[in-house]
Amino acid sequence: MSDKKVLLDYGSGGKASQRLISELFKAHFSNPVLNRLDDAAFLDIAGPIAMSTDTFTVDPIFFPGGDIGSLAVHGTVNDVAMLGARPRFLSCAYLIEEGLEFEVLERIVASMARAAEKAGVYIVTGDTKVVPRGMADKIFINTTGVGTMLTDAYPSGENARPGDVVLVSGTMGDHGLTILAQREGLPLETKVESDSAALNHLTEKLVTEVGDIHVLRDPTRGGLATTLNEIAQSSSVGIQLEEELIPVNDGVRSGCSILGLDPLYLANEGKFLCILPEDKVEKALEVMRADENGHGACRVGTVSAENAGKVIMRTPLGGKRLLNMLEGEQLPRIC
Amino acid sequence: MSVLDKFSDPKLCRSLLDRIHAELDGELRFMEVCGTHTVSIFRSGLHSLLPDRVIHLSGPGCPVCVTHESEVAMYLDLASRDDVIVATFGDLMRVPGPGGRNLKAAQADGARVAVVYSPFDAVKLAQANPDAKVVFLGIGFETTAPTVAATIQMAAKAGLDNFHVVSFHKLVPPALRALMADPELRVDALIMPGHVTSIIGPRAYDFLAEEFHLPSVVTGFDPLDILQSLLELVRQKNAGRAEVVNMYTRAVPEEGNPKAMSIMNEIFVPADALWRGIGMIPGSGLEIAPAYERFDAKKVLGLELVDVPPIKGCRCGDVLRGKLTPNKCPLFGKACTPAKPVGPCMVSTEGSCAAYFKYNTEL
């Protein structure tokens, strides 16, 4: 493309749009399904299937550990994977603000292509709209994912049972604090980096090699605390956490301490939690720790019939406190 | 174990808890002046481990909670002006004003509100928006006021004429003096705010021991800090002593922070101030000094406090004065929750009602 910036013409459906599709999207996303460029993608897929959609509006669009493009792939791939499915195809719709540097768009598209390849999914259909300057903030991306189910007894937030164990795949709050620190230009003493990653290869191993996985969830917005509260309520069980077992990076811990934020309410984009029967724990941890996205996996709590609907945390001192659902967004404190 | 972890070391904490259980003779009603202490007591689980006879009462140490209804009404009116960008710390976004309206709702209605992480960001905002008047909401105690003062100095140096501060800053010692003089108040001892004291120094509280015979301890926010302080208070009470002890020497120098005080005293002058639930306390606030009045939003923009009736049924005032624990308020957890706060003690992250609601497993 010869233009340096994205023009309104690119969303017109005319020649400029065609050039964008052939010289950018097709060049990066090339795969047999997309390359036909029909009005719809022909998918050779048999049910039952899992499907999820999400729209990504992250600011800033490039951040340590990722960018809006890879995030848009990881987010939807992970949502499909958390149902115990193998994500196969993604659609991808861009809403671009007129004037975005073409080089920026290309970096994002290339990053999406790399993320999709690593996750083993095809981007098979898409859409581009360009809106006048000021009508959107740089770029928004929507992705929809479709995957094939790997098990009939699929994991669900309703399936936590008393006696089950809660595992997490690694440290909590990395993505949320990274975005906040970048957006606000906060000078944190220790480097923090987003954990953005596709988790489907690991969850597939858990579902097929370990089995009997009751719940799989990626604690994105609202963090671990909010996700566990949703599970406690959906399954009508109580969840007890051991605070000292929950992994949090030192940089995230100290950044949160300065800002008055709780890492357990911050978003994660490359972590998941897994609830399963006690007799499966050892095998599950072995599988998780052998994977690049699960080497920090550990046990953090248990499920019980008491305190149904509540998440209760045992502090290192042996005291107890409620871990409530997040109300709105976390806001930093005055002093 | 890192140095920081030592301040929450379970073994050390356990032995202090045992000492408190063993030595406490009767009841100890202590006031944690600072909201962060309240939150820490709940977050660490100390609330569930302390003897029942240790009764902790909240004090007026959450800057959001003590912001008067009339002050909230004033800044909400200010936010509705087309030519104004309100810059604020995040805590104030959900504080309900008259009719339950807050800055979040104002923003959705089109008000220009910017959440900043430092008052210096508000100066940058003014530089980036020369056509607008950027007004920083100056709410906070002695901890925050010096930084806001430095921001005004910075704006003066940059020759900015579109940066203003609406100063609702409040001072802790005059408020404590007014509270302790209340004959209805039943407090045996106090835990003093670490952050505020790092600026004003522990000697600012000597009057508590001398005039009111109240033991008090300046302390940090980790479980070990709090437990050490409680044991000290138990021992003082048992011995009939009343002293101001600084147990937060790693952060609080005896003389406080003279440089911060000097900047604060150059930009601000003491003034009477309204405290939510308490009312007017003479000399307990800070106004912008006449030499800097071009930065004073109240003067430049002609803002005036109007009477706003207290919210019906809200007992935040009694909570702030240590007369009521949050869960005893008839609205607590029913009409008043973090989702729909009636009073500011439920909305602020440091508010005692929010801490009770958020962390207390017994509710």
Side-chain angles (χ1 to χ4, degrees), chain B residues 296-350:
Chain B
D296 189 339
K298 290 182 205 166
K299 289 196 175 134
V300 175
L301 300 173
L303 309 178
E304 280 190 16
L305 286 177
V306 288
D307 267 350
V308 173
I311 303 163
K312 209 176 166 190
C314 175
R315 296 190 64 188
C316 281
D318 288 336
V319 171
L320 294 169
R321 286 183 293 174
K323 292 183 175 177
L324 188 77
T325 53
N327 51 347
K328 300 278 165 58
C329 171
L331 304 186
F332 180 83
K334 299 181 187 95
C336 184
T337 65
K340 210 169 179 305
V342 174
C345 296
M346 185 59 93
V347 76
S348 167
T349 47
E350 290 166 57

Side-chain angles (χ1 to χ4, degrees), chain A residues 84-132:
Chain A
R86 176 188 294 158
R88 306 242 339 249
F89 304 107
L90 286 184
S91 77
C92 166
Y94 297 89
L95 199 147
I96 304 171
E97 184 186 19
E98 172 192 21
L100 182 76
E101 300 284 341
F102 189 82
E103 176 268 333
V104 168
L105 178 61
E106 183 153 28
R107 275 171 68 197
I108 291 167
V109 170
S111 170
M112 287 191 83
R114 280 194 301 276
E117 189 183 1
K118 195 165 179 194
V121 296
Y122 280 168
I123 294 172
V124 292
T125 186
D127 178 48
T128 309
K129 294 283 185 293
V130 183
V131 296

Side-chain angles (χ1 to χ4, degrees), chain B residues 29 31 57-58 176 178-188 190 214 318 320-323:
Chain B
R29 296 171 65 87
M31 176 179 274
L57 303 163
S58 299
L176 285 179
L179 275 186
M180 296 308 132
D182 181 346
E184 285 179 31
L185 187 74
R186 287 174 53 221
V187 169
D188 298 317
L190 295 106
L214 282 169
D318 288 336
L320 294 169
R321 286 183 293 174
K323 292 183 175 177

Side-chain angles (χ1 to χ4, degrees), chain A residues 180 184 186 243 259 262 265 310 312 315-324 327-329 331-335, chain B residues 8 10 13 42-46 48-49 89-91 94 104 117 139 144 223 338-339 350 357-359 361 363:
Chain A
L180 194 66
E184 305 302 335
L186 304 174
E243 187 172 1
L259 295 168
D262 188 336
Y265 289 92
K310 287 184 180 175
I312 291 178
T315 70
L317 305 187
K320 283 181 184 169
R321 69 171 164 101
L322 199 63
L323 197 64
N324 228 321
E327 183 60 54
E329 57 185 323
L331 296 165
R333 65 174 175 220
I334 285 180
C335 67
Chain B
S8 51
C13 287
F42 277 103
R43 272 194 62 141
S44 61
L46 276 183
S48 61
L49 297 170
F89 291 134
D91 308 44
R94 283 195 284 264
K104 279 225 156 215
Y117 289 73
I139 285 172
T144 321
E350 290 166 57
F357 189 90
K358 196 171 167 195
Y359 299 123
T361 56
L363 299 174

Side-chain angles (χ1 to χ4, degrees), chain B residues 228-277:
Chain B
Q228 274 182 325
S229 308
L230 287 177
L231 185 58
E232 167 67 22
L233 293 177
V234 166
R235 286 175 175 170
Q236 283 200 39
K237 187 170 179 259
N238 288 350
R241 285 186 290 124
E243 292 165 26
V244 181
V245 178
N246 179 13
M247 299 189 95
Y248 196 30
T249 48
R250 67 183 188 278
V252 176
E254 193 63 13
E255 69 283 8
N257 185 336
K259 195 176 166 197
M261 290 291 283
S262 147
I263 296 170
M264 186 172 93
N265 291 333
E266 183 192 332
I267 303 293
F268 294 114
V269 288
D272 297 347
L274 275 172
W275 293 62
R276 186 187 287 249

Side-chain angles (χ1 to χ4, degrees), chain A residues 222-235:
Chain A
L224 181 70
T226 303
T227 306
L228 284 175
N229 269 282
E230 286 167 4
I231 295 167
Q233 284 165 21
S234 300
S235 300

Side-chain angles (χ1 to χ4, degrees), chain A residues 20-302:
Chain A
L20 192 70
I21 291 166
S22 61
E23 294 176 29
L24 181 67
F25 297 127
K26 204 174 148 195
H28 284 282
F29 296 155
S30 177
N31 63 65
V33 184
L34 177 79
N35 294 352
R36 289 187 201 116
L37 292 182
D38 288 326
D39 282 356
F42 176 83
L43 305 182
D44 184 6
I45 189 169
I49 61 171
M51 180 174 170
S52 184
T53 191
D54 204 348
T55 303
F56 298 82
T57 59
V58 65
D59 171 34
I61 53 178
F62 296 98
F63 47 84
D67 57 75
I68 191 169
S70 52
L71 189 67
V73 172
H74 296 154
T76 295
V77 160
N78 291 346
D79 283 345
V80 172
M82 294 306 142
L83 203 69
R86 176 188 294 158
R88 306 242 339 249
F89 304 107
L90 286 184
S91 77
C92 166
Y94 297 89
L95 199 147
I96 304 171
E97 184 186 19
E98 172 192 21
L100 182 76
E101 300 284 341
F102 189 82
E103 176 268 333
V104 168
L105 178 61
E106 183 153 28
R107 275 171 68 197
I108 291 167
V109 170
S111 170
M112 287 191 83
R114 280 194 301 276
E117 189 183 1
K118 195 165 179 194
V121 296
Y122 280 168
I123 294 172
V124 292
T125 186
D127 178 48
T128 309
K129 294 283 185 293
V130 183
V131 296
R133 189 182 273 273
M135 299 284 283
D137 185 13
K138 296 185 275 297
I139 183 167
F140 301 151
I141 303 177
N142 171 275
T143 49
T144 297
V146 174
T148 40
M149 294 299 296
L150 297 164
T151 169
D152 292 336
Y154 60 89
S156 160
E158 294 179 345
N159 292 349
R161 296 286 171 264
D164 282 355
V165 173
V166 184
L167 310 178
V168 294
S169 66
T171 52
M172 293 289 115
D174 300 72
H175 178 76
L177 190 73
T178 303
I179 296 299
L180 194 66
Q182 286 289 309
R183 185 162 63 215
E184 305 302 335
L186 304 174
L188 299 180
E189 280 184 20
T190 318
K191 196 178 158 210
V192 291
E193 193 170 272
S194 168
D195 56 356
S196 182
L199 303 166
N200 53 317
H201 300 308
L202 175 50
T203 54
E204 181 164 339
K205 278 186 229 157
L206 281 175
V207 172
T208 56
E209 294 173 23
V210 180
D212 207 10
I213 309 291
H214 290 177
V215 184
L216 278 180
R217 290 289 287 272
D218 58 341
T220 51
R221 281 187 302 173
L224 181 70
T226 303
T227 306
L228 284 175
N229 269 282
E230 286 167 4
I231 295 167
Q233 284 165 21
S234 300
S235 300
S236 296
V237 294
I239 295 177
Q240 285 75 47
L241 292 180
E242 297 291 330
E243 187 172 1
E244 59 191 333
L245 297 182
I246 301 172
V248 179
N249 271 328
D250 285 348
V252 172
R253 195 185 294 279
S254 63
C256 283
S257 163
I258 293 163
L259 295 168
L261 302 175
D262 188 336
L264 303 190
Y265 289 92
L266 289 175
N268 309 277
E269 290 293 348
K271 302 287 164 43
F272 65 97
L273 63 92
C274 171
I275 299 179
L276 75 180
E278 173 81 55
D279 62 356
K280 297 280 186 182
V281 168
E282 204 176 319
K283 173 79 175 158
L285 283 175
E286 193 183 306
V287 168
M288 287 163 86
R289 286 172 182 163
D291 188 281
E292 62 172 333
N293 291 315
H295 55 79
C298 57
R299 175 187 184 125
V300 293
T302 49

